Amino acid sequence: MRIVISNSSKVPIYEQIKKEIIRGIGNKELNEGDALPSIRVLAKDIRISVMTIKKAYDELEKEGYIVTQAGKGSFVAPQNIELLREQKQREIEKYMDNIIEIAKQYNISKREILDLMEFMYGSD
Amino acid sequence: MEIEIKDLEKSYDNFSLKIPELKIPKGMIVGLIGENGAGKTTLIKCLLNIITNYKGIIKIEGKTKEEIDFNDIGVVLDNMFYPDVLKVKDLVTIMTSIYNNFSKEVFYQYLEKFNLPKDKQIKTLSKGMKKKLELASALAHKPKLLILDEATSGLDPVVRREVLDIFLEFMQQEDHTILISTHITSELERIADKIIFMNEGRIILNEEGDTLIEDYGVIRCGEKEYKMIDKEDIIRCYKNKYDYEILVKDKNRLENKYKDMVIDKISLDELMVLMIKGE
């Protein structure tokens, strides 16, 4: 699993940890039932305070990404793939709003945007 | 181990330490920060019973100063007090006579980990090595509470990182606690669960480490903008020749309120300076 924390980012550190773990779940690096490192072990490995890690884990649990079993640790929860997709789709819609807004401001046609999208998506 | 302080008072001619109440829960790394002379060392000396004639109550793990088992507390102070003609390995004899649970094996393990030579005289060691030696002997009697006074000052960044990793290793036990005083705050920023900020013998801030970093911020601006900021949003303000530095809390709310202003993240160092120098 990859967890990269930036010091200069405006995103709070616990939020960054959350994102990294959600990303891991999203791209199947972490699968249902996989054990996450314990709070203290992760704190040591990424040199972040126990409280910050705990905050991240608590929120991940509240949002249904992980489950914590007393004495055993935290595990990746069964993921509702549909729900996750829906959330992501909404996220994409938001970006598209931005794209459309800028395009309209500067008279960039729908055709041009679609061509650009075609080009970028394809080259990935 | 947890620490509880109530109505602590210790006065000198030109300085007094006054802490009405303070609780340090177990399982945490607590950073004690403040200027030189802010009272950090006096507080630590009270905790360790080096200063005994204070007023008030200090309890460690529920025990008063008469009952505290100092075997459970590992200490590294600012000034090394080992006679420097001794060889590193001679410390075993000394430490065994002080601490019941001092373990030669654990001590030697740390010496190896820190690359410290057993047969060298202490005076031949570099400053960083001496600090690591102190830490090795503090950890070798298997304490549950580590009290460190300026333990990382004077160390280079590489050694500081090593020492930090030792702290985090120590914290793998849930009932372990570290109280570390320092005026070099950068390495504490990410690992401290709690930050206690002292000034002139008083505690002026006691916050969770990440609250401090995520919630507090600094606005740098000119006089015109400064006048637009509500006085109640300003914790401290420091006027430079060409700009103002304004310490604020609740960064997210203020970012919405003052949309045209940039609120920067603040480092503990900057926070310390603004709290003390600002108005």
Side-chain angles (χ1 to χ4, degrees):
Chain A
M1 189 175 45
R2 188 197 84 181
I3 298 185
V4 180
I5 306 293
S6 155
N7 251 345
S8 51
S9 165
K10 283 205 124 203
V11 181
I13 289 175
Y14 78 93
E15 200 79 59
Q16 293 188 42
I17 298 169
K18 262 179 70 182
K19 279 197 175 149
E20 290 287 79
I21 291 175
I22 293 171
R23 193 185 46 78
I25 295 172
N27 66 18
K28 298 269 190 286
E29 263 177 80
L30 288 168
N31 295 299
E32 178 179 340
D34 284 356
L36 290 169
S38 81
I39 291 176
R40 280 177 195 272
V41 167
L42 187 58
K44 173 174 156 262
D45 289 342
I46 63 176
R47 298 191 188 84
I48 299 285
S49 83
V50 169
M51 299 284 269
T52 307
I53 311 272
K54 196 172 175 309
K55 214 188 243 174
Y57 275 30
D58 283 351
E59 290 209 356
L60 284 168
E61 185 164 17
K62 249 197 285 174
E63 292 166 23
Y65 290 104
I66 64 171
V67 282
T68 301
Q69 293 174 339
K72 283 192 178 162
S74 301
F75 303 87
V76 177
Q79 297 302 319
N80 188 337
I81 302 292
E82 274 309 301
L83 192 80
L84 213 63
R85 273 187 67 103
E86 245 173 67
Q87 276 176 7
K88 288 295 147 190
Q89 205 161 333
R90 247 175 282 143
E91 217 173 285
I92 293 174
E93 280 168 22
K94 250 194 267 166
Y95 288 120
M96 286 188 159
D97 275 343
N98 279 341
I99 295 174
I100 295 167
E101 195 186 316
I102 298 171
K104 283 186 174 162
Q105 260 173 19
Y106 293 95
N107 268 331
I108 301 168
S109 74
K110 190 164 106 190
R111 191 65 259 162
E112 278 174 277
I113 297 292
L114 287 176
D115 285 347
L116 191 61
M117 180 63 100
E118 186 75 33
F119 175 73
M120 289 183 75
Y121 204 106
S123 70
D124 186 36
Chain B
M1 291 169 74
E2 61 177 15
I3 301 173
E4 261 184 279
I5 291 174
K6 192 122 188 69
D7 302 320
L8 178 65
E9 248 187 277
K10 172 72 193 163
S11 299
Y12 298 96
D13 289 343
N14 46 7
F15 172 80
S16 74
L17 175 76
K18 218 170 184 179
I19 301 176
E21 196 170 13
L22 179 66
K23 266 193 190 141
I24 295 175
K26 64 179 84 178
M28 285 192 175
I29 298 182
V30 178
L32 192 58
I33 66 170
E35 286 181 293
N36 293 325
K40 306 186 296 278
T41 301
T42 310
L43 171 59
I44 282 176
K45 283 183 174 165
C46 290
L47 290 173
L48 294 173
N49 233 357
I50 296 171
I51 295 173
T52 51
N53 56 344
Y54 56 78
K55 284 189 218 154
I57 300 167
I58 293 176
K59 283 186 179 174
I60 297 181
E61 202 62 11
K63 292 175 178 161
T64 58
K65 65 179 170 188
E66 292 81 15
E67 308 160 338
I68 295 169
D69 185 357
F70 284 95
N71 280 307
D72 288 336
I73 304 176
V75 182
V76 176
L77 295 175
D78 197 7
N79 301 312
M80 172 120 156
F81 48 86
Y82 304 137
D84 60 5
V85 290
L86 292 182
K87 287 183 178 150
V88 170
K89 63 180 180 191
D90 296 335
L91 284 181
V92 173
T93 327
I94 299 178
M95 298 308 278
T96 323
S97 69
I98 302 175
Y99 295 104
N100 310 332
N101 36 1
F102 186 86
S103 156
K104 187 174 161 182
E105 288 71 43
V106 177
F107 182 63
Y108 280 164
Q109 276 166 26
Y110 277 112
L111 292 188
E112 210 160 291
K113 204 170 194 169
F114 290 152
N115 278 321
L116 294 169
K118 289 191 195 76
D119 295 310
K120 285 260 171 68
Q121 279 188 316
I122 291 173
K123 65 177 171 196
T124 65
L125 303 180
S126 70
K127 191 166 180 184
M129 287 164 107
K130 282 180 183 167
K131 266 294 163 235
K132 286 198 271 189
L133 176 60
E134 281 183 273
L135 199 58
S137 50
L139 288 163
H141 62 88
K142 297 174 231 154
K144 296 195 177 92
L145 168 64
L146 267 184
I147 296 184
L148 311 152
D149 195 13
E150 301 290 355
T152 54
S153 353
L155 301 183
D156 66 62
V158 178
V159 178
R160 283 214 300 270
R161 160 79 63 109
E162 279 174 32
V163 169
L164 217 61
D165 284 337
I166 301 287
F167 293 167
L168 291 163
E169 184 72 52
F170 175 79
M171 290 307 289
Q172 293 304 301
Q173 299 293 322
E174 275 181 31
D175 60 341
H176 283 186
T177 309
I178 295 179
L179 176 66
I180 172 169
S181 90
T182 181
H183 54 258
I184 305 172
T185 55
S186 56
E187 73 252 26
L188 265 182
E189 254 158 44
R190 282 162 56 147
I191 67 154
D193 296 296
K194 216 179 207 314
I195 297 282
I196 295 170
F197 184 0
M198 294 189 69
N199 191 33
E200 295 177 348
R202 311 288 187 272
I203 292 175
I204 56 172
L205 260 183
N206 180 0
E207 291 260 24
E208 275 178 23
D210 61 352
T211 309
L212 218 52
I213 296 167
E214 318 286 8
D215 259 22
Y216 285 74
V218 60
I219 300 177
R220 284 174 243 274
C221 63
E223 194 172 358
K224 200 176 104 209
E225 291 91 350
Y226 164 70
K227 284 184 174 148
M228 280 157 51
I229 300 175
D230 288 336
K231 290 290 158 285
E232 71 234 30
D233 290 332
I234 298 174
I235 300 177
R236 291 280 199 284
C237 172
Y238 188 74
K239 189 180 179 309
N240 294 303
K241 191 164 178 192
Y242 299 110
D243 72 341
Y244 286 79
E245 291 173 278
I246 298 163
L247 177 67
V248 295
K249 204 188 161 174
D250 211 351
K251 203 163 67 188
N252 286 340
R253 183 179 63 85
L254 296 189
E255 259 164 8
N256 286 321
K257 187 168 172 185
Y258 306 110
K259 284 213 159 61
D260 298 336
M261 294 183 202
V262 180
I263 307 182
D264 282 338
K265 262 188 143 171
I266 193 161
S267 69
L268 281 181
D269 273 346
E270 284 176 295
L271 182 93
M272 206 158 106
V273 172
L274 284 180
M275 282 298 285
I276 293 169
K277 294 278 181 208
E279 285 169 14

